[in-house]
Amino acid sequence: MKRAIFPGSFDPITLGHCDIIKRGVTLFDELIIAIGINSDKKYMFSLEKRKQFIEETFKNEPKIKVVTYKGLTVNFCKEINAQFILRGLRNPADFEFEKAIAHTNRKLSEIETVFLLTSSGKSYISSSIVRDVIRNDGDYTGLVPNSVRV
């Protein structure tokens, strides 16, 4: 079984994330959306709410599971027997950042990182932009799935 994780904080999940997930699920037998827990980070949405947003968005996709984890992503991959890490790339800066992480993960384990380019119409969307729009009472509905529209 080809099992991959798509790790992130998903604060909140965006249409860019959804694009990668929808395309990534076709490549693997199981795709685990793994919400990382970082106690040093201040989140806009609670862990429970972020998990709920994702579960609601993909409730009709049996190949997707949503979990939370702490610690190194590669250690979590070993724990759940995931052979791949799925990552989305929006721009060259993402590539450079993600490449360094992928090389480090490969040095620490046998886990492969698979990169997908975000569709051009969604490459500008990031969770930090969505949070800024929400904080400033802007219309964020075109940036997130229906489950996030609170």
Side-chain angles (χ1 to χ4, degrees):
M1 173 190 280
K2 289 189 291 184
R3 177 178 291 141
I5 71 162
F6 183 50
S9 58
F10 305 102
D11 187 34
I13 188 168
T14 70
L15 292 180
H17 293 127
C18 292
D19 173 59
I20 297 298
I21 293 166
K22 287 175 186 172
R23 291 171 38 233
V25 77
T26 66
L27 303 174
F28 304 102
D29 299 311
E30 182 177 55
L31 181 59
I32 298 168
I33 302 171
I35 306 170
I37 301 170
N38 181 344
S39 58
D40 294 334
K41 219 171 173 185
K42 294 197 186 244
Y43 297 104
M44 175 174 271
F45 297 97
S46 70
L47 179 62
E48 296 76 23
K49 198 70 173 159
R50 289 180 279 145
K51 190 170 189 245
Q52 180 186 338
F53 290 154
I54 300 167
E55 288 171 338
E56 175 64 24
T57 300
F58 295 102
K59 65 184 175 195
N60 295 321
E61 179 48 71
K63 290 171 57 175
I64 291 177
K65 291 183 180 166
V66 184
V67 300
T68 62
Y69 76 102
K70 286 184 182 180
L72 289 177
T73 301
V74 290
N75 290 345
F76 181 66
C77 287
K78 289 177 191 174
E79 184 182 314
I80 64 165
N81 196 29
Q83 304 88 2
F84 304 94
I85 297 172
L86 176 64
R87 298 299 295 160
L89 300 174
R90 295 172 297 181
N91 54 48
D94 278 358
F95 173 74
E96 290 301 324
F97 178 73
E98 293 292 344
K99 180 178 74 165
I101 293 171
H103 284 311
T104 303
N105 286 342
R106 188 77 174 115
K107 183 81 171 166
L108 297 173
S109 71
E110 294 298 311
I111 295 162
E112 291 288 350
T113 302
V114 175
F115 297 108
L116 290 179
L117 298 176
T118 305
S119 297
S120 62
K122 295 176 181 64
S123 63
Y124 66 95
I125 304 171
S126 71
S127 292
S128 57
I129 288 173
V130 171
R131 289 192 305 271
D132 195 45
V133 172
I134 291 170
R135 277 189 204 101
N136 290 289
D137 298 319
D139 181 7
Y140 61 96
T141 57
L143 306 173
V144 298
N146 289 338
S147 64
V148 180
R149 297 174 187 172
V150 290

